[in-house]
Amino acid sequence: MTDISFSNYRKNDIHGVSLYPATMIAPVQHIILANIFNENNISSVYDPYHGSGTALFEAAKLDLNCNITGCDINPLAHLITYSKLKGVTQKIKDDIQSLFDFIEKAPEYDFEFHNINKWFRADIIYSLKKIRWAITQISSKRNRAFFWIVFANIIRKYSNSRSSTYKLHIKDIVDINKLQNNVIRDFQKQVENNYQKFTLKAPNVTLLKGDILKMSRKLGDRSMDLTITSPPYGDNGTTVPYGQFSSLALFWINPKDLNLEGWELDNYSKIDRMSLGGQCKNALTAFGKTLIAPYLNQISADKQPKVINFFADYFVSLDDICRVTDKYIVMTLGNRTVDRININLTEITSQYLEFNGFILVETLSRDIPVKRTPRKTSKVGNEAVSSMNEEFVIIHNRQ
Ligand SMILES: C[S@@+](CC[C@H](N)C(=O)[O-])C[C@H]1O[C@@H](n2cnc3c(N)ncnc32)[C@H](O)[C@@H]1O
């Protein structure tokens, strides 16, 4: 069995440049992909929930000419993945010099969004505006994308939101006042320290921005040799709020460089509400019902609708993954707790994939060593309840 603990992995590579919640562990995906690539003829890889693009980047690293296809509903995920897969241009050093010059001579200009003064101190806004203006002056789309994703990190670091949670949660005023404004120096350092990691330029990349339940219609039956993904484990609101985490950065980044459908910036939680499990679009099938019934029976009536809504759409998404995939499906999953009941997403998913003709080849597991979501999260009857602390990788092969 493949050892996937990688407990010493510290993200000093490209995957640590721009933070994103609940990312995969790159060496885990790499070793699994390498094993499958070695034994099979794989020329296309698909991630329907690509997030920060960990798996897609690792696939491109193994075979640059591989056809890479991904989808995500979050425009920040889209931008990070685009930047990792497309890299920076040969003129990056010149552009960095120009960028730093532009920061120096940035003019005063009007820029604001709802509650900007709640989430940023006035002097921080002043510095961020200079960087924002400077990036818009760079003509290369690929170099701008790299600058934006570094900028996204700086925005998060210097916002008035606590770093202990992915949700927007205002800091105490003492902590807000204590923050040293090193915005520009910090940004410049991160640019200089990281641009050399963006050297890969994958030629065959298709990134779809939108809801996978709609976007996958663009993909043909059995058009992907291998699907490798990590979907949300439940509705974003009660699991990981990817949208809320990204919202401040999305307000700052020039919309021209974001692949926006138009609704994303309506409010801080719109992306989470539009994500899987947020607004249910499908009904549970009879087979789906039998898989989740043992859990539902133990969950209080008020918590059941969220679980049902999530699984109704999740199963439709799995149907689609099975339709699109020709050979292998690799999924990284965690089991979450609702009302103290551990919902075994791994087992449910495996059974669903087997029902659709994909046989389970291997199940791997690893402890999750570093987590921003505290191990004890929600409360039931005033007692803290454990959140996920182990993740599983299931590998299925078409029969
Ligand atoms: C567990 S994360 C993926 C993390 C990724 N593997 C990485 O290493 O960064 C799940 C992703 O699913 C996306 N997502 C949620 N609902 C979606 C939907 N309906 N369509 C497309 N993407 C969705 C979220 O925006 C999030 O980026």
Side-chain angles (χ1 to χ4, degrees):
M1 183 187 277
T2 319
D3 176 13
I4 59 159
S5 47
F6 291 101
S7 44
N8 293 327
Y9 173 64
R10 287 292 172 267
K11 271 200 184 178
N12 296 325
D13 53 11
I14 192 169
H15 302 295
V17 174
S18 197
L19 289 182
Y20 194 73
T23 57
M24 288 165 162
I25 302 300
V28 173
Q29 308 306 315
H30 191 91
I31 196 169
I32 292 169
L33 284 167
N35 286 342
I36 299 178
F37 275 40
N38 274 345
E39 286 166 21
N40 301 271
N41 187 12
I42 301 290
S43 61
S44 47
V45 173
Y46 169 51
D47 185 345
Y49 299 95
H50 65 57
S52 64
T54 314
L56 295 181
F57 179 84
E58 293 303 318
K61 222 163 82 178
L62 278 166
D63 176 5
L64 194 62
N65 289 316
C66 185
N67 286 301
I68 302 284
T69 306
C71 178
D72 207 287
I73 200 163
N74 184 334
L76 185 63
H78 186 85
L79 189 63
I80 295 173
T81 304
Y82 167 82
S83 183
K84 283 181 176 176
L85 287 168
K86 286 296 176 185
V88 293
T89 71
Q90 288 180 343
K91 287 194 170 159
I92 185 66
K93 279 191 185 166
D94 294 344
D95 274 357
I96 290 175
Q97 192 50 56
S98 307
L99 179 77
F100 293 177
D101 293 344
F102 283 129
I103 292 176
E104 294 267 300
K105 53 179 189 232
E108 293 268 342
Y109 65 104
D110 288 336
F111 172 76
E112 59 179 349
F113 53 82
H114 179 62
N115 272 344
I116 190 172
N117 292 301
K118 172 179 176 184
W119 294 114
F120 300 91
R121 238 172 39 200
D123 61 306
I124 302 277
I125 294 176
Y126 181 78
S127 306
L128 291 174
K129 275 173 71 176
K130 281 173 172 269
I131 299 175
R132 181 183 192 272
W133 182 82
I135 299 176
T136 59
Q137 304 308 301
I138 301 297
S139 59
S140 155
K141 181 181 174 195
R142 285 160 57 203
N143 293 348
R144 275 200 317 275
F146 165 67
F147 296 143
W148 287 129
I149 68 166
V150 173
F151 187 50
N153 253 3
I154 296 292
I155 289 163
R156 172 119 195 125
K157 181 169 172 188
Y158 287 93
S159 78
N160 293 340
S161 185
R162 293 165 202 241
S163 58
S164 52
T165 165
Y166 291 131
K167 291 201 165 149
L168 288 177
H169 186 192
I170 198 88
K171 285 179 190 164
D172 290 334
I173 189 73
V174 193
D175 294 326
I176 292 176
N177 290 337
K178 233 173 28 198
L179 188 72
Q180 294 259 354
N181 183 349
N182 291 327
V183 168
I184 293 178
R185 208 163 354 119
D186 216 355
F187 172 75
Q188 291 174 328
K189 224 161 69 188
Q190 288 197 28
V191 165
E192 278 170 337
N193 291 346
N194 290 309
Y195 76 90
Q196 280 156 326
K197 296 172 186 166
F198 288 70
T199 49
L200 189 124
K201 185 173 185 269
N204 310 314
V205 177
T206 306
L207 295 180
L208 308 169
K209 153 68 186 82
D211 182 350
I212 191 59
L213 296 179
K214 289 184 201 149
M215 302 308 283
S216 65
R217 291 180 202 146
K218 295 179 187 232
L219 307 173
D221 295 357
R222 299 179 77 155
S223 56
M224 303 292 155
D225 288 336
L226 189 161
T227 294
I228 182 163
T229 196
S230 170
Y233 304 160
D235 65 289
N236 288 9
T238 57
T239 55
V240 182
Y242 301 95
Q244 215 177 113
F245 169 89
S246 313
S247 59
L248 294 179
L250 290 173
F251 279 112
W252 274 101
I253 296 170
N254 188 347
K256 286 187 186 145
D257 281 332
L258 291 171
N259 201 330
L260 296 175
E261 294 166 71
W263 49 266
E264 291 90 338
L265 303 180
D266 285 357
N267 57 56
Y268 297 113
S269 38
K270 188 69 184 265
I271 296 174
D272 293 320
R273 273 213 307 282
M274 299 293 279
S275 294
L276 197 74
Q279 277 178 345
C280 183
K281 296 154 198 100
N282 296 286
L284 270 179
T285 58
F287 180 63
K289 267 186 204 151
T290 60
L291 289 181
I292 64 166
Y295 305 97
L296 279 185
N297 293 340
Q298 303 175 66
I299 295 171
S300 57
D302 60 318
K303 299 233 164 85
Q304 287 183 13
K306 274 202 167 168
V307 176
I308 294 172
N309 287 350
F310 169 75
F311 276 104
D313 281 351
Y314 180 64
F315 289 143
V316 171
S317 172
L318 290 183
D319 288 340
D320 233 22
I321 288 176
C322 293
R323 176 186 68 78
V324 166
T325 312
D326 192 36
K327 293 176 181 150
Y328 279 91
I329 298 175
V330 179
M331 294 185 73
T332 300
L333 299 162
N335 300 331
R336 65 174 303 218
T337 301
V338 178
D339 240 7
R340 284 213 201 94
I341 300 305
N342 186 278
I343 302 196
N344 196 331
L345 184 66
T346 315
E347 179 63 28
I348 295 171
T349 307
S350 260
Q351 287 192 20
Y352 200 89
L353 294 179
E354 292 226 326
F355 181 74
N356 276 281
F358 281 82
I359 299 306
L360 181 64
V361 182
E362 201 167 0
T363 303
L364 308 166
S365 78
R366 63 187 295 279
D367 282 340
I368 305 173
V370 189
K371 275 183 60 64
R372 185 125 357 169
T373 311
R375 290 240 160 142
K376 308 266 181 209
T377 43
S378 49
K379 288 196 168 179
V380 173
N382 257 347
E383 271 178 56
V385 176
S386 290
S387 61
M388 301 163 287
N389 53 17
E390 197 178 5
E391 71 184 12
F392 299 86
V393 183
I394 50 173
I395 304 175
H396 285 252
N397 190 358
R398 191 184 273 280
Q399 222 168 359

